[in-house]
Amino acid sequence: MWIRSTMAYRASFVMTTFGNFAATALDFVAILLMFSRVDALGGWSLPEVAFLYGLSGMAFGLADLAIGSMDRLGSRVRDGTLDTLLVRPVPVLAQVAADRFGLRRLGRVVQGALVLGYALASLDIDWTPARVLLMPWMVVSGCGIFCAVFVAGAAFQFVAQDASEVQNAFTYGGTTLLQYPPTVFAQDLVRGVTFVLPLAFVNWLPASYVLGRPLPLGLPGWVAFAGPAVAVACCALAGVVWRTGLRAYRSTGS
């Protein structure tokens, strides 16, 4: 329904999609400005950082496209409109995710794909079968991890209705974090996004393997291939958190 509504005004769709593309491109412009003054950032060259940026942008862009509307759950809890979703014979999670579906978010995916294409054209990578296999794995598993963060953050809004910015700190903030190499951050932060909130499996760990770099924290090489398993575990845990929050929902009382 939302796609049909969007395509009814095609010129508006094109302009808003381009606006989304241009707004996200400013993040990469900031990286280009940094490299106009330095040759390396944390020991990583511009194409290598672009590789991280493109993977993070594509994974997050796909998750944001599919399930980004979850951050509106808090407003539905506050005004009681979530009740209308509970009586429909469709999973509440699917309804909340599809609410005001924004096809314009394709702009972020396209922008990330273009940066990734530039990185792949600029890097001299020894393409072994394992590295080739990791490329689609990174995008799909990264999307799954970000989807899990979106769902878990939305479930938290059953308790704290004004917590959308807390959720955004881990979703939008997380993808910004992953745009930069792990060597520029403190080791405690790298451990946190590896073993607590496993965002490092989106690109830091597998990308290091593809680029022939040592994995962060001295982890063994096989960890780079654990992304799909981590994504499945995160989605399962997010599902438990979602069902717990939904069972605890008591409407507005009005």
Side-chain angles (χ1 to χ4, degrees):
M1 180 188 72
W2 286 108
I3 292 175
R4 290 174 61 186
S5 174
T6 299
M7 299 311 293
Y9 303 93
R10 296 180 184 273
S12 175
F13 165 70
V14 171
M15 288 187 289
T16 55
T17 302
F18 178 78
N20 186 273
F21 174 94
T24 55
L26 292 176
D27 291 337
F28 191 65
V29 170
I31 294 175
L32 292 176
L33 291 175
M34 292 181 192
F35 276 95
S36 68
R37 295 292 181 264
V38 299
D39 295 326
L41 188 62
W44 292 57
S45 65
L46 175 58
E48 289 176 322
V49 174
F51 187 67
L52 293 178
Y53 180 99
L55 290 170
S56 171
M58 284 191 66
F60 177 77
L62 291 171
D64 189 37
L65 176 67
I67 207 167
S69 298
M70 298 296 295
D71 59 3
R72 296 191 179 93
L73 181 67
S75 61
R76 281 192 170 276
V77 172
R78 287 195 304 273
D79 59 25
T81 56
L82 183 64
D83 294 6
T84 61
L85 307 184
L86 296 174
V87 298
R88 296 173 181 169
V90 179
V92 178
L93 178 61
Q95 294 184 72
V96 176
D99 184 36
R100 297 186 179 276
F101 181 81
L103 195 60
R104 67 184 182 281
R105 294 170 179 157
L106 278 173
R108 179 187 292 272
V109 181
V110 173
Q111 191 262 336
L114 290 176
V115 174
L116 181 59
Y118 155 75
L120 292 174
S122 303
L123 291 167
D124 184 17
I125 300 175
D126 180 18
W127 289 110
T128 64
R131 288 189 170 100
V132 172
L133 179 64
L134 263 181
M135 290 301 297
W137 273 19
M138 277 190 281
V139 176
V140 174
S141 60
C143 175
I145 291 171
F146 274 121
C147 283
V149 176
F150 268 114
V151 173
F156 180 63
Q157 295 185 54
F158 284 115
V159 179
Q161 290 83 19
D162 293 318
S164 60
E165 292 306 319
V166 176
Q167 175 182 339
N168 291 341
F170 294 99
T171 51
Y172 292 93
T175 189
T176 302
L177 175 78
L178 297 176
Q179 291 169 2
Y180 297 91
T183 50
V184 304
F185 300 105
Q187 289 292 294
D188 287 341
L189 177 61
V190 177
R191 291 189 186 96
V193 296
T194 302
F195 300 113
V196 181
L197 183 65
L199 295 177
F201 289 89
V202 174
N203 64 352
W204 279 357
L205 296 174
S208 295
Y209 181 90
V210 171
L211 296 174
R213 285 179 164 272
L215 270 62
L217 306 176
L219 294 171
W222 63 264
V223 176
F225 295 87
V230 171
V232 170
C234 288
C235 289
L237 181 59
V240 172
V241 173
W242 171 262
R243 288 191 294 271
T244 301
L246 192 60
R247 284 197 298 267
Y249 175 65
R250 292 295 180 268
S251 189
T252 61
S254 59

XYZ file of all heavy atoms in Angstrom, residues 55-101:
345
model
N 30.318 -1.577 2.807
C 29.685 -2.745 3.418
C 28.711 -2.332 4.513
O 27.587 -2.841 4.590
C 30.760 -3.671 3.991
C 31.637 -4.401 2.974
C 32.799 -5.088 3.673
C 30.809 -5.416 2.184
N 29.133 -1.411 5.360
C 28.263 -0.936 6.439
C 27.028 -0.240 5.875
O 25.907 -0.465 6.333
C 29.045 0.021 7.346
O 28.205 0.658 8.281
N 27.241 0.603 4.844
C 26.122 1.340 4.262
C 25.104 0.431 3.611
O 23.894 0.632 3.754
N 25.573 -0.595 2.898
C 24.640 -1.506 2.239
C 23.875 -2.360 3.256
O 22.658 -2.521 3.153
C 25.394 -2.407 1.269
C 25.818 -1.746 -0.014
S 26.417 -2.932 -1.237
C 24.911 -3.853 -1.576
N 24.586 -2.911 4.249
C 23.932 -3.760 5.244
C 22.900 -2.968 6.033
O 21.751 -3.407 6.211
C 24.973 -4.363 6.183
N 23.301 -1.781 6.501
C 22.356 -0.982 7.266
C 21.232 -0.459 6.378
O 20.070 -0.411 6.808
C 23.066 0.201 7.936
C 22.125 1.105 8.674
C 21.623 0.738 9.918
C 21.716 2.306 8.125
C 20.738 1.560 10.598
C 20.837 3.133 8.797
C 20.346 2.761 10.041
N 21.549 -0.075 5.145
C 20.525 0.446 4.242
C 19.434 -0.570 3.973
O 18.245 -0.232 3.952
N 19.810 -1.829 3.760
C 18.817 -2.880 3.532
C 17.964 -3.112 4.775
O 16.748 -3.312 4.683
C 19.513 -4.172 3.119
C 20.169 -4.164 1.725
C 21.009 -5.422 1.525
C 19.110 -4.042 0.637
N 18.598 -3.102 5.958
C 17.835 -3.275 7.200
C 16.897 -2.097 7.427
O 15.742 -2.272 7.824
C 18.795 -3.428 8.377
N 17.394 -0.888 7.161
C 16.568 0.308 7.341
C 15.400 0.301 6.367
O 14.278 0.703 6.713
C 17.439 1.544 7.131
C 16.725 2.829 7.509
O 15.958 2.823 8.497
O 16.940 3.852 6.824
N 15.638 -0.162 5.147
C 14.566 -0.249 4.155
C 13.500 -1.242 4.590
O 12.299 -0.975 4.485
C 15.153 -0.662 2.803
C 14.167 -0.903 1.662
C 13.488 0.398 1.253
C 14.885 -1.532 0.460
N 13.926 -2.387 5.113
C 12.986 -3.456 5.450
C 12.252 -3.215 6.750
O 11.061 -3.529 6.873
C 13.726 -4.794 5.513
N 12.942 -2.650 7.750
C 12.373 -2.658 9.096
C 12.646 -1.351 9.851
O 12.436 -1.270 11.060
C 12.939 -3.874 9.867
C 12.001 -4.346 10.954
C 14.347 -3.603 10.391
C 12.369 -5.697 11.508
N 13.068 -0.319 9.133
C 13.417 0.949 9.763
C 12.263 1.664 10.442
O 12.475 2.513 11.305
N 11.041 1.322 10.062
C 9.881 1.984 10.672
C 9.641 1.551 12.109
O 8.734 2.081 12.774
C 8.621 1.707 9.840
O 8.747 2.237 8.539
N 10.429 0.602 12.612
C 10.245 0.135 13.984
C 10.447 1.244 15.008
O 9.923 1.171 16.114
C 11.227 -1.006 14.286
C 11.054 -2.250 13.439
S 9.481 -3.094 13.691
C 9.638 -3.619 15.391
N 11.194 2.287 14.641
C 11.444 3.344 15.615
C 10.210 4.190 15.900
O 10.222 5.029 16.801
C 12.606 4.241 15.169
C 12.365 4.903 13.817
O 11.269 4.709 13.246
O 13.269 5.606 13.340
N 9.118 3.969 15.153
C 7.869 4.687 15.416
C 6.986 3.970 16.442
O 5.903 4.442 16.770
C 7.067 4.865 14.126
C 7.745 5.738 13.084
C 6.768 6.077 11.968
N 7.379 6.934 10.981
C 7.985 6.519 9.879
N 8.055 5.217 9.656
N 8.521 7.355 9.028
N 7.433 2.834 16.938
C 6.600 2.063 17.858
C 6.264 2.856 19.114
O 5.146 2.763 19.632
C 7.309 0.759 18.236
C 6.533 -0.158 19.188
C 5.289 -0.708 18.501
C 7.405 -1.316 19.667
N 7.209 3.631 19.617
C 6.969 4.390 20.837
C 5.781 5.324 20.732
O 4.975 5.431 21.665
N 5.636 5.998 19.584
C 4.503 6.904 19.409
C 3.193 6.137 19.344
O 2.158 6.604 19.845
C 4.696 7.737 18.134
O 4.760 6.890 16.987
N 3.206 4.928 18.773
C 1.996 4.110 18.739
C 1.608 3.631 20.140
O 0.427 3.554 20.470
C 2.199 2.902 17.815
C 2.061 3.218 16.335
C 1.977 1.955 15.516
N 1.628 2.195 14.132
C 0.389 2.345 13.671
N -0.631 2.286 14.519
N 0.159 2.556 12.395
N 2.606 3.331 20.946
C 2.316 2.920 22.326
C 1.730 4.088 23.097
O 0.771 3.925 23.871
C 3.599 2.400 23.000
C 3.364 2.163 24.492
C 4.068 1.108 22.339
N 2.253 5.282 22.888
C 1.777 6.458 23.627
C 0.342 6.825 23.263
O -0.462 7.158 24.137
C 2.697 7.657 23.369
C 4.043 7.564 24.046
C 4.750 8.909 24.054
N 4.905 9.464 22.709
C 5.915 9.190 21.906
N 6.843 8.337 22.292
N 6.000 9.744 20.712
N 0.022 6.789 21.963
C -1.326 7.240 21.571
C -2.335 6.092 21.465
O -3.500 6.306 21.125
C -1.277 8.024 20.250
C -0.712 7.210 19.083
O -0.786 5.967 19.126
O -0.203 7.820 18.129
N -1.900 4.868 21.726
C -2.837 3.742 21.756
C -3.171 3.149 20.414
O -3.971 2.208 20.344
N -2.554 3.638 19.329
C -2.887 3.110 18.006
C -2.301 1.719 17.773
O -2.669 1.063 16.800
C -2.388 4.057 16.901
O -0.981 4.278 17.067
C -3.114 5.395 16.970
N -1.414 1.268 18.660
C -0.913 -0.097 18.537
C -2.041 -1.111 18.736
O -1.983 -2.222 18.208
C 0.208 -0.350 19.553
C 0.886 -1.719 19.494
C 1.607 -1.900 18.167
C 1.851 -1.899 20.653
N -3.075 -0.713 19.462
C -4.203 -1.628 19.705
C -4.859 -2.070 18.405
O -5.330 -3.211 18.301
C -5.246 -0.946 20.595
C -4.718 -0.681 22.002
O -3.518 -0.930 22.236
O -5.497 -0.232 22.856
N -4.879 -1.178 17.413
C -5.523 -1.536 16.147
C -4.752 -2.631 15.420
O -5.330 -3.394 14.644
C -5.650 -0.306 15.233
O -4.344 0.203 14.930
C -6.449 0.796 15.915
N -3.447 -2.704 15.666
C -2.641 -3.742 15.027
C -2.825 -5.096 15.695
O -2.668 -6.136 15.050
C -1.152 -3.354 15.062
C -0.767 -1.978 14.502
C 0.741 -1.815 14.523
C -1.311 -1.770 13.099
N -3.184 -5.076 16.969
C -3.305 -6.325 17.723
C -4.506 -7.150 17.298
O -4.508 -8.372 17.470
C -3.384 -6.028 19.225
C -2.148 -5.381 19.856
C -2.432 -5.003 21.306
C -0.959 -6.320 19.779
N -5.536 -6.484 16.747
C -6.756 -7.203 16.405
C -6.750 -7.708 14.963
O -7.685 -8.375 14.547
C -7.996 -6.305 16.635
C -8.102 -5.912 18.093
C -7.937 -5.058 15.754
N -5.698 -7.416 14.220
C -5.622 -7.860 12.833
C -4.953 -9.231 12.761
O -4.056 -9.532 13.548
C -4.834 -6.856 11.983
C -5.501 -5.497 11.875
C -4.588 -4.507 11.164
N -5.199 -3.189 11.069
C -4.548 -2.095 10.697
N -3.253 -2.172 10.397
N -5.168 -0.931 10.628
N -5.366 -10.064 11.817
C -4.803 -11.419 11.697
C -3.457 -11.432 10.968
O -3.227 -12.230 10.066
C -5.878 -12.163 10.901
C -6.471 -11.106 10.028
C -6.484 -9.843 10.855
N -2.579 -10.521 11.365
C -1.240 -10.413 10.784
C -0.267 -10.170 11.932
O -0.615 -9.451 12.876
C -1.170 -9.237 9.774
C 0.235 -9.118 9.187
C -2.189 -9.417 8.665
N 0.921 -10.760 11.918
C 1.887 -10.521 12.997
C 2.129 -9.027 13.226
O 2.310 -8.268 12.269
C 3.156 -11.232 12.508
C 2.651 -12.293 11.591
C 1.443 -11.724 10.921
N 2.136 -8.632 14.489
C 2.314 -7.215 14.823
C 3.661 -6.710 14.330
O 3.767 -5.572 13.845
C 2.181 -7.009 16.347
C 2.424 -5.549 16.716
C 0.809 -7.448 16.822
N 4.673 -7.539 14.440
C 6.005 -7.124 13.994
C 6.003 -6.758 12.522
O 6.584 -5.744 12.120
C 7.014 -8.241 14.269
C 8.455 -7.996 13.831
C 9.033 -6.787 14.552
C 9.316 -9.221 14.080
N 5.346 -7.559 11.694
C 5.290 -7.275 10.263
C 4.526 -5.987 9.988
O 4.910 -5.200 9.113
C 4.626 -8.446 9.535
N 3.455 -5.750 10.753
C 2.671 -4.532 10.549
C 3.462 -3.285 10.940
O 3.429 -2.271 10.230
C 1.384 -4.597 11.376
C 0.425 -5.680 10.932
C -0.868 -5.631 11.721
O -1.688 -4.732 11.542
N -1.042 -6.589 12.629
N 4.164 -3.350 12.060
C 4.946 -2.194 12.501
C 6.083 -1.925 11.519
O 6.377 -0.773 11.192
C 5.492 -2.426 13.918
C 6.400 -1.270 14.348
C 4.351 -2.575 14.915
N 6.726 -2.991 11.039
C 7.826 -2.818 10.094
C 7.348 -2.212 8.773
O 8.066 -1.430 8.141
C 8.507 -4.165 9.838
N 6.135 -2.570 8.344
C 5.615 -2.080 7.067
C 4.954 -0.715 7.182
O 4.648 -0.089 6.165
C 4.592 -3.078 6.511
N 4.759 -0.229 8.415
C 4.084 1.052 8.619
C 4.899 2.182 7.990
O 6.079 2.349 8.290
C 3.908 1.301 10.118
C 3.126 2.573 10.394
O 2.200 2.882 9.624
O 3.449 3.260 11.379
N 4.263 2.942 7.096
C 4.918 4.058 6.404
C 6.232 3.611 5.748
O 7.270 4.259 5.886
C 5.165 5.230 7.368
C 3.884 5.822 7.913
C 4.125 7.065 8.736
N 2.862 7.610 9.223
C 2.073 8.415 8.517
N 2.415 8.779 7.288
N 0.934 8.860 9.017
N 6.155 2.494 5.044
C 7.323 1.939 4.351
C 7.918 2.990 3.425
O 7.218 3.547 2.577
C 6.909 0.700 3.560
C 8.037 0.034 2.827
C 8.899 -0.815 3.492
C 8.219 0.269 1.475
C 9.931 -1.437 2.806
C 9.251 -0.361 0.786
C 10.107 -1.204 1.462
